[in-house]
Amino acid sequence: MTKKIAVLNGPNLNLLGSREPDTYGSTTLDEIQQMVVDQSNKYQIDVDFRQTNIEGELVDWIQETGSSCDGIILNAAAYTHTSIAIHDAVAAIGAPVIEVHLSNVFAREEYRHHSYISDVAVGVICGFGANGYVLAVDAIASMLRAN
Ligand code: DQA
């Protein structure tokens, strides 16, 4: 049966391409979506790719796709470092969540070193730019194959 994953993106990631390119690279979110779809096609995995600037919407989407999808790739952006609500949503769902960040958050400001998501995620990929999303597809595909 065809598997399905959700890729959920948080605040300001709609600005990728022009937003602080030295930190986040010059790849746009649309281009990242295409990279994710291309990689997922290799594994016959369908992709539901979304972005929101609103914390509650991200919570709603984690709840929704946590039951409708086989796994979630989540870049909660700044909410990673602030949101107990997103922690609780990830903890509440059955689907595995892979946390992704374009930048190496540990090489940046102290306030980015803590994540409310990492302890309830299966794993974390950070510091590999847009390619981190492709690595996350590989990780989720191998997990889903093993199940
Ligand atoms: C980010 C890292 C966060 O600290 C930051 O707030 C973002 C993007 C990343 O992908 O590197 O908006 O999640």
Side-chain angles (χ1 to χ4, degrees), residues 11 13 19 24 75-78 80-81 100-103 105 108 112:
L13 295 173
R19 176 193 183 199
Y24 298 115
N75 184 352
T80 304
H81 317 298
V100 169
H101 301 285
L102 296 136
S103 61
V105 287
R108 300 182 62 196
R112 295 184 204 275

Side-chain angles (χ1 to χ4, degrees), residues 1 7 16 52 54 61 66 69 74 85 90 101 122 130-131 136:
M1 219 181 72
V7 183
L16 287 178
T52 180
I54 302 167
W61 288 352
C69 293
L74 175 62
V90 171
H101 301 285
V122 176
N131 196 43

Side-chain angles (χ1 to χ4, degrees), residues 51-114:
Q51 187 274 332
T52 180
N53 291 324
I54 302 167
E55 182 178 6
E57 189 155 47
L58 212 44
V59 171
D60 283 344
W61 288 352
I62 291 164
Q63 291 182 11
E64 176 203 331
T65 61
S67 55
S68 64
C69 293
D70 300 292
I72 298 174
I73 294 169
L74 175 62
N75 184 352
Y79 293 139
T80 304
H81 317 298
T82 62
S83 179
I84 298 171
I86 290 175
H87 165 98
D88 287 351
V90 171
I93 61 168
V97 173
I98 298 185
E99 177 182 348
V100 169
H101 301 285
L102 296 136
S103 61
N104 179 356
V105 287
F106 300 103
R108 300 182 62 196
E109 302 92 333
E110 187 95 31
Y111 59 81
R112 295 184 204 275
H113 296 183
H114 177 260

